[in-house]
Amino acid sequence: MKSTKGKPMRRRYRALIVLLALGAAAALPVSVGLAAAQEPDPLDEIRALIPPGAPGEDDLVPGDGLYGQLAEAVGLSTDVADFGSGSQLTGPCGGFAFSYDNDGEILDAAFDAGDDNPPVDLLSGEQAFTSSNPFKVDSSGVVAYFGFMPLEGDGPEDHSWEIKTSGISLDTGGDPNNNFKNRNRGIVDLENDLPFKFSAKVKVEGLLTSQNLAPCFGQGHVEMIGPLFGPVGVAATALMLGGFMGLLFNSRPAYTWKA
Amino acid sequence: MEGVTQMSESDRKIHPIAGGLWGLPLGIGLAVFAINARWVSLSIVSLVVLILVGVVFGIIWSSFGPAKKPKGAPPAAAEAEPTFVPEPEPVPEPEPAPVAAETADPVDSSPNLDPPPPPPTDPGGV
């Protein structure tokens, strides 16, 4: 009789303990999330400074004012302790870049203070332009940028610049810059500039040399985001299928009758 | 029969050069697709490696892949079919046998082992 009465009681206790454990496990992340929600995210201040929509040619972001605000906010809020070798921007140059997708939504934002530290991702607070956190660019979107060299004083005189990837030159340029202009801002409209849409992860290097300033060197990873089966994807698929069919039907080993 | 079995044996032929040539577009397509899909970074090294993967795969496939069956019938079967019928060689006519032989018993040509018949007896004085 003892055993028949004791079993249901033990089962009830066990069920109660299991329920309590499950409740505690379920309540733990909720409480942690609530605690985290109560603390303001330091990056929210920076994110609020980034223009929410893609700017047009007529409403370029005010470079200097926004840079000052960003520099102050980044200096106060972001924590980029791990400066690896994935990206760098050295020399008396800096600035910021905002990337927007085709719908005008912010895609990525990076900032460099002009010191020898690498650029900072304004959205995540991590180091920007690294292989694990590349600067994302929509191949049909726009990129708004502001750059300086140097922050104060005369700009680079008779400068020339070059952008390379894997040792191959992508673009070159230069200017006498007789006015000693030391800052520039603008918009790159990839929808109109690119002949076709594609995706790729690219490591890019850039170097700017001048007569009067130390060279500005930067390197980092950029991720182009485009359609998988755009013109490039379709051409690649056709090539693969052609090669595969050739291997299947035209180059297999074959038995022939001995003469 | 031995000759027939030898003629129906088959020989395995491989095409590594053709395999490498067909592997080239496969490798280029693979490289471009992998870069476009952002599986690998765009660089000279990744391009060359992926193209080489295609070429090497083509060579291996064309050397060690499953072989196609031989086309047509084996040569032995093809020879069995009458394609050329030679004229029959003329048979030499047999020389004419001696007449005595012809008068002999043509049916039984075996040597006669019976004793010869006795000579006819003379009736004596007749």
Side-chain angles (χ1 to χ4, degrees), chain A residues 133-240:
Chain A
N133 182 30
F135 187 74
K136 296 175 186 64
V137 176
D138 189 347
S139 62
S140 55
V142 297
V143 176
Y145 66 90
F146 166 78
F148 60 82
M149 182 180 179
L151 190 56
E152 301 290 340
D154 289 343
E157 181 188 3
D158 193 17
H159 65 79
S160 61
W161 53 267
E162 184 177 19
I163 299 173
K164 295 193 292 186
T165 179
S166 294
I168 298 171
S169 180
L170 294 176
D171 201 4
T172 57
D175 196 84
N177 195 19
N178 296 324
N179 299 327
F180 300 103
K181 187 179 163 187
N182 66 355
R183 52 229 315 113
N184 195 11
R185 63 194 173 108
I187 289 176
V188 180
D189 190 351
L190 298 164
E191 175 77 27
N192 295 327
D193 292 350
L194 288 178
F196 49 84
K197 312 304 168 207
F198 64 95
S199 302
K201 272 183 172 177
V202 195
K203 187 180 182 185
V204 184
E205 296 175 9
L207 177 66
L208 191 150
T209 55
S210 64
Q211 298 290 330
N212 58 336
L213 295 174
C216 177
F217 174 74
Q219 62 176 349
H221 297 263
V222 177
E223 183 175 2
M224 298 289 295
I225 299 171
L228 180 61
F229 286 102
V232 177
V234 169
T237 308
L239 267 174
M240 270 197 297

Side-chain angles (χ1 to χ4, degrees), chain A residues 201 223 247 253-254 256-257, chain B residues 8 11 13 38 42 61 68:
Chain A
K201 272 183 172 177
E223 183 175 2
L247 283 178
T256 53
W257 296 115
Chain B
S8 60
D11 192 12
K13 288 197 173 179
R38 286 173 280 160
L42 171 61
W61 169 264
K68 288 189 279 190

